[in-house]
Amino acid sequence: MRSKHPVRESLIFLACVLFAIFAAFPIYWMINTALSTDQELYTGQSLWPHLERVLDIPAFLSGSPAFAWLGNSAFIAFGTTFLSLIMAVHGAYALSRFKFFGKGAVGFLLFATQMLPEAVIVVPLFAVFAGFGLLNNLYGLVLATTGFIMPVALFILKGAIDKVPFELEESARVDGCPRYSQLMMIIFPLILPSIAAAAVIAFFDGWNEFLFANTFISDANHWPATVGLASFIGQYSTPLNVVMAVAFLFTLPAIVFFLILQREIVSGLTAGAVKG
Amino acid sequence: MTITPTLDGVDQEISRGKRIKGSGPPANGPRRRGWIAYIFIAPAVIYLAVFVLAALAKGIALSFTDTRLLNPSGGNFVGADNYKGLITSSQFWDSIAVTLVYTVATVFFALIIGTAAAVLVNRPFRGRALFRAIMTLPYAVPTVAVTLIFIWIYNKESGVLNMGVEALGFGQVGWLTDPSFGMISVVLTTVWKVFPFVMIVMLAALQSVPDELFEATRVDGADGLSAFRAIVLPHILPTVRIVALLMTIWSIRRFEIIYLLTGGGPVKTTNTLVINIYNSAFTGQKLGVAAAMGVLGLFLSLGAAVIFSFLERRGAKKEGVA
């Protein structure tokens, strides 16, 4: 569309710039802070980042436990993604392709999980996990986190399977293809974009998980990056630029992932929320 | 905090009441009946039954005991004492009120800003893809990193926000320490983090609005905003309602941002229900009381869902979709 009203068009463009600044500034400020010295931070932080210091970052991170934390976060994120997707693919297939007694109850159970605050569940779960020795244990965190994100993955995949024409499986069945192979050989490849979306959303959830980890993990060796980063709050022995550098290191994979898979994530997010 | 996305089909199915009995999409042909479906769905159901339902049942059981943190498997049955204590406690009702204020403010501003951003980048212009990407970035930033950045931005002596405030000739503001500003700071941070979700979903809804309708809003002399309200808004209203429901449920659930920014302070001005529950359990060490608070809190989420499903039905009737 050609712009017909130059003044109006430039006002709209200006509004876009303001929104973009609003969205980007805190991220920019994290990077700027990571590249400042303590001295500068408390005497007036420069608005322009000291980009020449980027190469110093690895040096001052070398002694910090940041990489161990990131490793723990990666373990939780991959574990949560793997466990959620296995259950979600099969569950979504059942909900999309079959009628069965109790289906309404299953749908309600999945929906109800979404309404439940984690902070409500964490109290009794703490009591349960204490009994099973699952406190201070990364597997316990994977188990707890999966309970909250698996239903989301399941709904995304159910929506995707709903769109696969039934006739494809029907003809395969006539050819003698067993039911499980129909799911794996026919449906699975067709819903790969949605699986990618569900995987990234589950991964983000595990990567971001804080509440369960903060409650269940007291051993600092098992901290994920979320709990490690939060431990910097209110303690002044770690310089702020190091804190922000670790925060940035933790943010970077999420942003890169997001930018690469933006199309899939957006379609996953909007699949059910938009009607028509 | 989960950045849990859509509830997909199910919230629509629930809010429409009847569809949940499995009247599947007709385009998919016949649905099969069969016991084999139970095998496919069993892992998910058993999993939720063990880790969510059993935990919930355990929570209800705990709520009738005086269990303490240091001995989570001990504790004596105390009847409804915890509930009686809560209902007469002004701190409990204060935290309900704080939750409502936080939820309404967050949902309201996130909807306005997210929708405005979506409308802005919906029209084609040079560099639109770049603007879209930048505006969705906050969605990808992990919540704990978000709070660390904002704690520094809000810093009273050296934070950039007060640098700006002072440049305008005002005094330093204690964004996270002054009781009149705690809630504002927490809401601002939350809105920054969640508005991209609203934008992404609204953008998809706007793309389903026919182009001619947008043309109509651009007619010479027409007031853009009122034209938008009269012509485009009715089209995207069903999506607005679903997004509002999701945002409400997430606001009631939200933990990290508030816990890490203010911990419920200053002077309990941001002490939402989930923060109150967590602090009662793990600082106050009263698991029983915290569990009772959680059970009462479930009614809050349930109430929100009921209100929205009522609005949905009324809206559907009005639009003649039902």
Side-chain angles (χ1 to χ4, degrees):
Chain A
M1 243 160 284
R2 287 169 297 117
S3 54
K4 292 162 193 161
H5 306 272
V7 178
R8 197 176 151 166
E9 290 300 314
S10 31
L11 277 179
I12 288 174
F13 189 76
L14 185 69
C16 279
V17 171
L18 288 178
F19 270 86
I21 291 175
F22 173 68
F25 181 78
I27 302 168
Y28 169 72
W29 206 241
M30 169 168 60
I31 298 168
N32 186 320
T33 309
L35 297 172
S36 304
T37 64
D38 249 23
Q39 176 83 31
E40 288 159 358
L41 290 178
Y42 292 101
T43 53
Q45 187 169 354
S46 150
L47 287 176
W48 193 248
H50 293 273
L51 285 176
E52 75 278 6
R53 294 184 188 147
V54 166
L55 295 173
D56 302 341
I57 289 184
F60 66 65
L61 284 183
S62 61
S64 89
F67 294 102
W69 294 342
L70 289 170
N72 290 335
S73 289
F75 179 88
I76 297 167
F78 279 115
T80 303
T81 308
F82 180 72
L83 199 56
S84 304
L85 282 187
I86 289 198
M87 290 187 281
V89 168
H90 295 95
Y93 179 62
L95 281 190
S96 176
R97 288 297 193 246
F98 294 92
K99 288 178 176 177
F100 56 91
F101 177 76
K103 188 168 171 173
V106 170
F108 183 76
L109 176 67
L110 292 165
F111 174 71
T113 326
Q114 290 302 297
M115 307 220 331
L116 219 54
E118 290 93 333
V120 169
I121 283 299
V122 76
V123 175
L125 211 54
F126 181 85
V128 174
F129 274 23
F132 286 100
L134 283 168
L135 299 179
N136 263 324
N137 183 322
L138 289 181
Y139 292 99
L141 285 184
V142 170
L143 293 175
T145 310
T146 300
F148 282 86
I149 200 66
M150 178 266 282
V152 177
L154 199 154
F155 287 134
I156 291 174
L157 298 183
K158 176 187 177 288
I161 298 178
D162 280 346
K163 291 196 191 105
V164 176
F166 191 72
E167 289 73 32
L168 288 179
E169 291 150 82
E170 204 50 31
S171 53
R173 195 177 62 85
V174 172
D175 293 340
C177 177
R179 189 160 283 157
Y180 196 73
S181 309
Q182 293 169 27
L183 171 60
M184 286 303 156
M185 311 289 286
I186 299 171
I187 295 182
F188 195 86
L190 288 172
I191 61 167
L192 265 182
S194 297
I195 288 184
V200 173
I201 286 164
F203 187 89
F204 273 0
D205 200 59
W207 190 251
N208 279 318
E209 208 291 312
F210 170 76
L211 175 57
F212 292 124
N214 189 50
T215 314
F216 297 158
I217 307 286
S218 50
D219 178 354
N221 288 325
H222 293 323
W223 277 354
T226 48
V227 180
L229 276 169
S231 76
F232 288 140
I233 296 174
Q235 62 111 310
Y236 297 96
S237 52
T238 313
L240 192 58
N241 60 333
V242 177
V243 173
M244 288 297 161
V246 176
F248 183 66
L249 207 61
F250 180 55
T251 305
L252 199 60
I255 287 186
V256 170
F257 238 166
F258 182 77
L259 290 180
I260 294 174
L261 289 166
Q262 203 168 19
R263 195 178 297 268
E264 283 74 22
I265 296 171
V266 167
S267 71
L269 286 175
T270 52
V274 182
K275 288 186 200 171
Chain B
M1 157 61 65
T2 42
I3 313 176
T4 34
T6 67
L7 310 174
D8 261 84
V10 152
D11 64 325
Q12 296 174 29
E13 291 187 342
I14 297 251
S15 53
R16 284 172 182 174
K18 282 172 190 161
R19 277 200 47 206
I20 201 149
K21 279 260 146 66
S23 62
N28 279 340
R31 293 238 188 151
R32 289 169 288 183
R33 290 185 172 280
W35 57 269
I36 197 164
Y38 291 111
I39 295 179
F40 283 110
I41 196 78
V45 168
I46 293 171
Y47 196 90
L48 289 180
V50 170
F51 284 98
V52 181
L53 279 193
L56 193 60
K58 173 84 180 169
I60 294 172
L62 273 177
S63 74
F64 292 100
T65 68
D66 61 356
T67 308
R68 312 278 301 186
L69 180 67
L70 293 178
N71 182 13
S73 44
N76 301 312
F77 183 76
V78 293
D81 280 4
N82 292 333
Y83 291 96
K84 278 184 206 147
L86 285 175
I87 285 173
T88 54
S89 133
S90 64
Q91 197 203 319
F92 172 72
W93 291 110
D94 284 349
S95 75
I96 299 266
V98 168
T99 310
L100 291 178
V101 171
Y102 172 76
T103 302
V104 170
T106 310
V107 174
F108 179 78
F109 288 112
L111 276 180
I112 300 264
I113 294 179
T115 310
V119 171
L120 282 176
V121 294
N122 186 44
R123 350 167 67 248
F125 63 90
R126 199 201 279 261
R128 178 171 72 163
L130 180 67
F131 276 104
R132 275 191 196 176
I134 292 176
M135 287 185 204
T136 46
L137 278 184
Y139 175 79
V141 181
T143 315
V144 175
V146 171
T147 60
L148 282 170
I149 304 165
F150 274 88
I151 288 174
W152 175 236
I153 288 176
Y154 288 142
N155 185 284
K156 191 170 176 185
E157 285 78 31
S158 315
V160 67
L161 193 54
N162 273 352
M163 275 160 64
V165 167
E166 282 177 288
L168 293 175
F170 298 97
Q172 289 181 344
V173 176
W175 294 102
L176 297 173
T177 49
D178 182 337
S180 352
F181 287 98
M183 180 60 90
I184 295 174
S185 309
V186 166
V187 169
L188 175 64
T189 309
T190 311
V191 169
W192 182 81
K193 171 73 184 146
V194 299
F195 93 87
F197 173 80
V198 180
M199 178 185 134
I200 290 169
V201 177
M202 297 315 294
L203 206 48
L206 286 171
Q207 273 154 12
S208 70
V209 176
D211 263 352
E212 306 82 65
L213 287 186
F214 278 108
E215 281 305 308
T217 67
R218 287 183 203 133
V219 173
D220 271 19
D223 170 1
L225 198 63
S226 62
F228 175 79
R229 260 173 47 195
I231 300 170
V232 180
L233 194 61
H235 253 267
I236 58 174
L237 210 55
T239 309
V240 172
R241 270 197 295 267
I242 291 176
V243 174
L245 169 66
L246 289 170
M247 301 287 292
T248 303
I249 290 176
W250 294 339
S251 291
I252 295 173
R253 281 172 58 173
R254 191 161 290 111
F255 178 79
E256 278 92 338
I257 288 182
I258 309 173
Y259 182 76
L260 293 176
L261 278 183
T262 64
V267 212
K268 301 212 184 281
T269 45
T270 58
N271 194 30
T272 59
L273 191 68
V274 293
I275 301 292
N276 200 359
I277 291 172
Y278 195 80
N279 284 337
S280 304
F282 297 103
T283 312
Q285 311 210 336
K286 295 176 194 151
L287 291 189
V289 175
M293 225 183 282
V295 172
L296 292 179
L298 291 182
F299 289 102
L300 209 61
S301 308
L302 208 63
V306 168
I307 290 172
F308 275 102
S309 115
F310 171 77
L311 289 179
E312 167 94 10
R313 234 164 256 177
R314 214 186 54 174
K317 229 177 248 168
K318 241 191 207 162
E319 288 147 24
V321 184

